[in-house]
Amino acid sequence: VKGHTLKSFAYTTDAAIIRNTNANAILAVYPFTGEPVITQALLTVAQMPLFVGVGGGTTTGPRVTELAMVAEMQGAAVVINAPAPAETIETTMSMVDIPVIATVTEDDEITECKILAGAAIINVAAGARTAQVVASIRAHHPEIPILASGGGSEDRILATIEAGADAITWTPPSAQQLQSQMMAKYRGEA
């Protein structure tokens, strides 16, 4: 992406975690309507490329493309959620010059249409089936960059990489979890 090889994405919107992670990039997708003020706040703390959700699920239609255009002007790349149709990918790609990540949950006709619509990167978020979906997409699209959720264990992460993922998203522990661990250590409980 823009001359950088990105292999690890921290999946978080927590400003303190974003500021203190060593991931190559941030995947900041959240279940609310996208807002430029949130993107700006995250960009303020991010020291690495930021990929923000611009809709496709809760937010639909022209607003997705409008949010993508604003994100581009702010300096972020964009992620479009799985429910968005290929037409949303195509329209957004025609309006921005930044990478557009299209999230998918299956290797099916919808995914094929999103690839044909010009998605720069495919984000596979298929739960326990992620490695299988990655392998299926990779088999007939060896050239498309694939980002995939890593799951909760090293074994699942390795299986997803072996299936053909180019990069992995990882959900870091929350700041509250880290603080709890630290306080237990301070109290001599750990």
Side-chain angles (χ1 to χ4, degrees):
V1 175
K2 295 187 176 186
H4 298 279
T5 300
L6 306 174
K7 294 288 187 181
S8 62
F9 285 67
Y11 174 45
T12 184
T13 56
D14 185 303
I17 297 295
I18 290 171
R19 188 66 180 180
N20 289 284
T21 186
N22 64 355
N24 300 136
I26 301 298
L27 184 71
V29 179
Y30 47 90
F32 314 110
T33 298
E35 293 186 51
V37 68
I38 295 172
T39 300
Q40 189 59 53
L42 297 176
L43 281 165
T44 299
V45 296
Q47 301 177 80
M48 66 287 292
L50 177 70
F51 292 75
V52 296
V54 295
T58 303
T59 305
T60 59
R63 180 149 170 86
V64 174
T65 300
E66 292 166 3
L67 285 168
M69 291 168 59
V70 172
E72 176 183 40
M73 290 177 207
Q74 292 175 297
V78 298
V79 181
I80 297 179
N81 293 336
E87 294 79 18
T88 301
I89 306 299
E90 186 172 23
T91 301
T92 303
M93 289 294 298
S94 73
M95 299 300 291
V96 299
D97 289 327
I98 55 174
V100 172
I101 295 178
T103 302
V104 301
T105 59
E106 300 282 344
D107 181 21
D108 56 12
E109 187 177 323
I110 294 168
T111 297
E112 187 67 23
C113 289
K114 289 180 180 185
I115 292 169
L116 293 173
I121 300 168
I122 294 297
N123 175 36
V124 178
R129 295 179 18 272
T130 295
Q132 295 164 308
V133 174
V134 167
S136 182
I137 293 170
R138 179 59 69 219
H140 55 274
H141 286 288
E143 77 292 343
I144 191 86
I146 298 175
L147 169 63
S149 54
S153 71
E154 286 185 26
D155 290 341
R156 290 203 28 208
I157 290 170
L158 289 173
T160 303
I161 292 168
E162 289 170 0
D166 297 296
I168 295 291
T169 59
W170 169 73
T171 304
S174 71
Q176 293 80 7
Q177 290 168 316
L178 294 171
Q179 185 69 38
S180 177
Q181 292 169 2
M182 187 177 282
M183 290 306 296
K185 181 179 171 186
Y186 291 167
R187 291 187 295 266
E189 299 168 3

